[in-house]
Amino acid sequence: DLKISLLSQDSIKEFYADELNQHFSEIESKALGRAAKFSLIEVARELTGAGVPLVIEGAFHADTAQQLFAGIDTRTALVVQVSVICEFDVARARFEQRIADGERHPVHTGSVFSELSKEEILHKYRPLDMPGVVTVTYDTTDSHDGYEQLLQTLRESMNGQHAEEVR
């Protein structure tokens, strides 16, 4: 909708899994996820270094993402972080429904909801603190009705007007 490229960590991970055509243990799945993340970041560094606008999508861990994103040049390309938030119980219910509906690719094993406490999840996936990056918060608790408003906020960010929250 913004007419810019999207790089998705899960899409890369799922592509790798499909190409390897095998079942992955939880440990192997996490390793493949790290490989996808590093691939995504390397491509993003090259593109942003050339001034190419893009969207980088993934659930990045705040404690390690700063290091990963260090090579992204915010002087040559606008970088906007969309922090998608949702009430915890609603997010868990949606996640469980995706699994029940068979919407989750088989390479994704395990569940952050069963592995970590609510506090650990909120801490791990908090917005990244990165200089030169505009952060837009998008709350999907009640619905995804704010999508058009999110797009407008992103368009404004791309034009140098920085809005901070979308509900």
Side-chain angles (χ1 to χ4, degrees):
D1 290 331
L2 294 173
K3 300 196 178 5
I4 60 176
S5 298
L6 168 68
L7 298 178
S8 168
Q9 179 180 339
D10 278 352
S11 293
I12 294 170
K13 179 178 180 177
E14 292 163 8
F15 174 80
Y16 287 165
D18 291 344
E19 285 299 306
L20 294 170
N21 195 26
Q22 68 182 53
H23 172 78
F24 294 91
S25 69
E26 190 166 343
I27 292 170
E28 292 167 330
S29 174
K30 287 182 179 185
L32 198 59
R34 285 189 301 277
K37 184 183 324 182
F38 293 129
S39 297
L40 177 140
I41 295 301
E42 187 57 34
V43 170
R45 282 184 185 126
E46 291 293 323
L47 293 173
T48 57
V52 176
L54 58 97
V55 174
I56 303 168
E57 186 274 326
F60 300 103
H61 305 175
D63 292 336
T64 58
Q66 261 84 339
Q67 216 174 353
L68 282 173
F69 285 97
I72 304 281
D73 190 347
T74 58
R75 295 168 301 157
T76 57
L78 171 70
V79 179
V80 177
Q81 170 183 208
V82 178
S83 176
V84 179
I85 61 171
C86 182
E87 287 181 14
F88 189 80
D89 292 335
V90 173
R92 180 189 320 210
R94 288 179 185 164
F95 181 79
E96 290 170 354
Q97 189 63 51
R98 282 183 59 220
I99 292 171
D101 291 347
E103 294 178 11
R104 197 162 187 231
H105 191 284
V107 74
H108 301 292
T109 60
S111 164
V112 69
F113 290 105
S114 62
E115 296 168 3
L116 301 172
S117 71
K118 176 180 178 179
E119 292 73 25
E120 290 170 318
I121 292 170
L122 294 175
H123 178 75
K124 187 174 189 174
Y125 295 103
R126 68 189 183 278
L128 309 178
D129 181 21
M130 296 173 28
V133 174
V134 175
T135 299
V136 176
T137 301
Y138 179 43
D139 188 338
T140 66
T141 298
D142 296 324
S143 70
H144 290 80
D145 291 342
Y147 182 69
E148 287 302 320
Q149 187 178 354
L150 172 64
L151 287 177
Q152 182 59 36
T153 301
L154 293 172
R155 284 185 194 100
E156 290 169 3
S157 294
M158 292 168 66
N159 292 324
Q161 306 162 357
H162 305 299
E164 292 297 321
E165 184 167 347
V166 178
R167 289 191 78 65

